[in-house]
Amino acid sequence: MSRLLLLFLLSTLPTSLMAEPRKFVRPVSIVLDENGLPIVSVTLHSLKTPGTSRAFRFILDTGADWCVVDKSVPSEFFWDDPHTESTARDIADQALPTESVLLKRVEVGDLTRDGIYAARMDLQAQMGRFQDQPVDGILGMTFLRGTRFLLEPNEHRLIWWGYHFSPGATLPLSTSPGSLPSLPIRMGGQTVEAEVDTGSTGGLDLPAALRPTRTGGKTVSQGVSGVAIAGEIQAISIIEAGGFTWRHAPVDFQEGTKLGRIGLDVWLASKVCFDFVTRHVTLTLDKAGNLPLRREPNRRLPLLWDRSGTVPQLVVALVKPGSPMEKAGCRVGDVLLQAGNLKGRALTRRAVQDLVASGSRHGWIVLRSGKEVPLTFHAP
């Protein structure tokens, strides 16, 4: 199992200047990229030309303390702020070079906020390896603090100031040591803070210190720096949060972490209300009255984009023992030239993932040590 974890921990700074929220509740459309990350349209306003604005693609990420803008975003949309320090770290605790800026005005649907602190960095070089269409930024907690929104994944939309619904489980939020919203998770008599992270494509992640003695399946998670985190996934009969439970839930116990994490397999399982005003989260219970959890198989392949040349290339970044890629003969560093009938512009991570997940017999052509090598994926 290999998956992407997106998390930025940034130094906490003075609260940003915020405009009064508008009272409209027009839904905001959400698109899921090939990793399953929620993407929203964010409008930034120009300093250079009053009344001029431009829309950008941002990841909705409650696991990012700050908003982030890519270096490709023109400087007319922000003030440089060299006197304010930002230190970004990914999920593997790797430092990422950043600059501090202050966005003039940020709009997401009918919610407008002024003077939003953000980190400016080469995000597309980092995240762009994981995405067919690199994003322009991350909508983090410098914008989301003090808001409430209803996330409805089946309708692919977000509604600002959406209400708590019933029946459901309303749980009080706390604050992690990284200053991010979190929930206390209890397992086997031990409690750990689990960060509420819509930038993580996983489900329930806990520190390896809580792992039962039995052996589970090996996992590899990767931060945007490219550094991998080893883990082990096991099915846990009962996990508690706020008096409610997940039952028979797969948990990824990750090495080198002290905090837990709750990712999109929970937040996109059904509608959920994030309330960063009264600091609560309301989740839809499943038919058995338990906390929700998606149990779909992971279809993501460890293929990364190399955009260092004139033509982007898909490169094999990891070959897990026993995986379809190993059985087909893939090697780390192989450059994918064709998969089935997919080649040229049609050769994308999403398309290749769907092809392999279909289970059909098909061939790959990879470039290895300067030679084209044919590979065959057999039907199960």
Side-chain angles (χ1 to χ4, degrees):
M1 177 180 176
S2 175
R3 56 190 176 82
L4 170 66
L5 295 172
L6 174 63
L7 176 68
F8 287 96
L9 301 178
L10 298 112
S11 54
T12 303
L13 298 177
T15 304
S16 58
L17 304 175
M18 298 179 181
E20 287 297 320
R22 297 178 180 178
K23 303 303 180 183
F24 306 112
V25 291
R26 181 178 57 182
V28 176
S29 295
I30 289 181
V31 176
L32 302 183
D33 74 356
E34 67 274 18
N35 302 292
L37 294 170
I39 310 296
V40 295
S41 179
V42 172
T43 299
L44 301 181
H45 286 252
S46 173
L47 296 166
K48 182 179 178 181
T49 308
T52 300
S53 62
R54 179 177 160 188
F56 297 89
R57 298 172 65 252
F58 277 44
I59 297 171
L60 177 70
D61 190 0
T62 59
D65 196 24
W66 276 29
C67 293
V68 179
V69 292
D70 183 67
K71 286 196 171 182
S72 64
V73 174
S75 59
E76 66 180 281
F77 295 105
F78 55 81
W79 293 280
D80 291 320
D81 192 359
H83 302 293
T84 303
E85 181 182 355
S86 64
T87 304
R89 308 189 75 86
D90 75 350
I91 198 65
D93 200 32
Q94 300 298 303
L96 304 170
T98 65
E99 304 168 7
S100 299
V101 299
L102 191 66
L103 301 175
K104 179 191 176 185
R105 172 167 289 182
V106 181
E107 289 186 18
V108 184
D110 289 314
L111 179 61
T112 301
R113 295 198 147 185
D114 292 336
I116 297 295
Y117 278 109
R120 186 169 182 252
M121 58 186 294
D122 196 356
L123 183 63
Q124 291 192 358
Q126 301 283 351
M127 281 298 299
R129 296 177 303 142
F130 300 94
Q131 296 180 309
D132 291 328
Q133 184 180 356
V135 293
D136 305 301
I138 295 172
L139 192 68
M141 292 304 295
T142 47
F143 183 90
L144 296 173
R145 285 190 182 94
T147 71
R148 181 174 68 244
F149 59 91
L150 183 66
L151 185 60
E152 297 180 312
N154 291 336
E155 289 76 18
H156 298 282
R157 68 185 184 184
L158 172 157
I159 301 176
W160 294 117
W161 313 115
Y163 49 85
H164 292 139
F165 48 85
S166 182
T170 299
L171 312 179
L173 292 171
S174 53
T175 302
S176 75
S179 301
L180 293 169
S182 64
L183 284 172
I185 298 295
R186 187 170 178 82
M187 191 198 84
Q190 301 185 71
T191 301
V192 64
E193 288 292 333
E195 291 175 337
V196 171
D197 190 358
T198 59
S200 168
T201 59
L204 297 172
D205 300 341
L206 294 177
L210 299 180
R211 181 177 57 212
T213 55
R214 63 182 183 275
T215 301
K218 302 299 181 183
T219 65
V220 178
S221 303
Q222 203 166 39
V224 295
S225 64
V227 175
I229 304 173
E232 187 175 291
I233 195 163
Q234 295 190 20
I236 304 300
S237 58
I238 296 178
I239 300 174
E240 300 175 289
F244 297 88
T245 59
W246 285 282
R247 291 186 179 272
H248 308 291
V251 176
D252 192 357
F253 295 94
Q254 297 182 342
E255 301 289 345
T257 61
K258 295 181 180 179
L259 298 174
R261 188 179 310 104
I262 306 173
L264 290 169
D265 283 346
V266 170
W267 309 125
L268 297 183
S270 55
K271 69 178 179 179
V272 55
C273 180
F274 295 92
D275 189 338
F276 297 128
V277 179
T278 63
R279 299 189 59 76
H280 287 81
V281 61
T282 300
L283 299 98
T284 306
L285 298 176
D286 66 18
K287 294 180 180 179
N290 299 312
L291 292 171
L293 183 65
R294 290 191 307 183
R295 301 176 187 270
E296 301 171 1
N298 175 20
R299 295 188 174 188
R300 288 178 291 280
L301 296 178
L303 296 172
L304 300 182
W305 283 108
D306 178 0
R307 292 188 167 93
S308 60
T310 55
V311 178
Q313 296 178 315
L314 277 176
V315 180
V316 175
L318 176 73
V319 179
K320 183 181 176 182
S323 67
M325 292 178 67
E326 185 196 46
K327 293 176 182 177
C330 292
R331 296 182 187 176
V332 173
D334 285 349
V335 176
L336 183 56
L337 303 178
Q338 183 172 341
N341 294 323
L342 301 170
K343 57 183 177 179
R345 293 183 180 273
L347 193 67
T348 64
R349 291 183 76 241
R350 186 190 294 271
V352 176
Q353 286 170 179
D354 291 345
L355 176 61
V356 174
S358 71
S360 62
R361 177 187 171 94
H362 67 278
W364 281 17
I365 299 176
V366 301
L367 186 65
R368 179 185 299 164
S369 301
K371 298 180 180 180
E372 292 188 7
V373 178
L375 307 175
T376 301
F377 279 72
H378 295 276

CSV table of all heavy atoms in Angstrom, one decimal, residues 171 240-245:
chain,number,residue,atom,x,y,z
A,171,LEU,N,-18.5,16.0,17.7
A,171,LEU,CA,-17.3,15.7,18.6
A,171,LEU,C,-16.6,17.0,18.8
A,171,LEU,O,-16.4,17.8,17.8
A,171,LEU,CB,-16.4,14.7,17.9
A,171,LEU,CG,-17.0,13.4,17.4
A,171,LEU,CD1,-15.9,12.5,16.8
A,171,LEU,CD2,-17.7,12.7,18.5
A,240,GLU,N,-12.1,4.6,19.6
A,240,GLU,CA,-13.0,5.5,20.2
A,240,GLU,C,-12.6,6.9,19.9
A,240,GLU,O,-11.5,7.3,19.9
A,240,GLU,CB,-13.2,5.3,21.7
A,240,GLU,CG,-13.6,3.9,22.1
A,240,GLU,CD,-13.7,3.7,23.6
A,240,GLU,OE1,-12.6,3.6,24.2
A,240,GLU,OE2,-14.8,3.7,24.1
A,241,ALA,N,-13.7,7.8,19.7
A,241,ALA,CA,-13.5,9.2,19.6
A,241,ALA,C,-14.7,9.9,20.1
A,241,ALA,O,-15.8,9.7,19.5
A,241,ALA,CB,-13.2,9.6,18.2
A,242,GLY,N,-14.7,10.7,21.1
A,242,GLY,CA,-15.8,11.4,21.6
A,242,GLY,C,-17.0,10.6,22.0
A,242,GLY,O,-18.1,11.1,21.8
A,243,GLY,N,-16.8,9.4,22.5
A,243,GLY,CA,-17.9,8.6,22.9
A,243,GLY,C,-18.5,7.7,21.8
A,243,GLY,O,-19.4,7.0,22.0
A,244,PHE,N,-18.0,7.9,20.5
A,244,PHE,CA,-18.4,7.1,19.4
A,244,PHE,C,-17.3,6.2,19.0
A,244,PHE,O,-16.1,6.3,19.4
A,244,PHE,CB,-18.9,8.0,18.2
A,244,PHE,CG,-20.1,8.8,18.6
A,244,PHE,CD1,-19.9,10.1,19.2
A,244,PHE,CD2,-21.3,8.4,18.3
A,244,PHE,CE1,-21.0,10.9,19.5
A,244,PHE,CE2,-22.4,9.1,18.6
A,244,PHE,CZ,-22.3,10.4,19.2
A,245,THR,N,-17.5,5.2,18.1
A,245,THR,CA,-16.5,4.3,17.7
A,245,THR,C,-16.4,4.0,16.2
A,245,THR,O,-17.4,4.1,15.5
A,245,THR,CB,-16.8,2.9,18.4
A,245,THR,OG1,-18.1,2.4,18.0
A,245,THR,CG2,-16.7,3.0,19.9
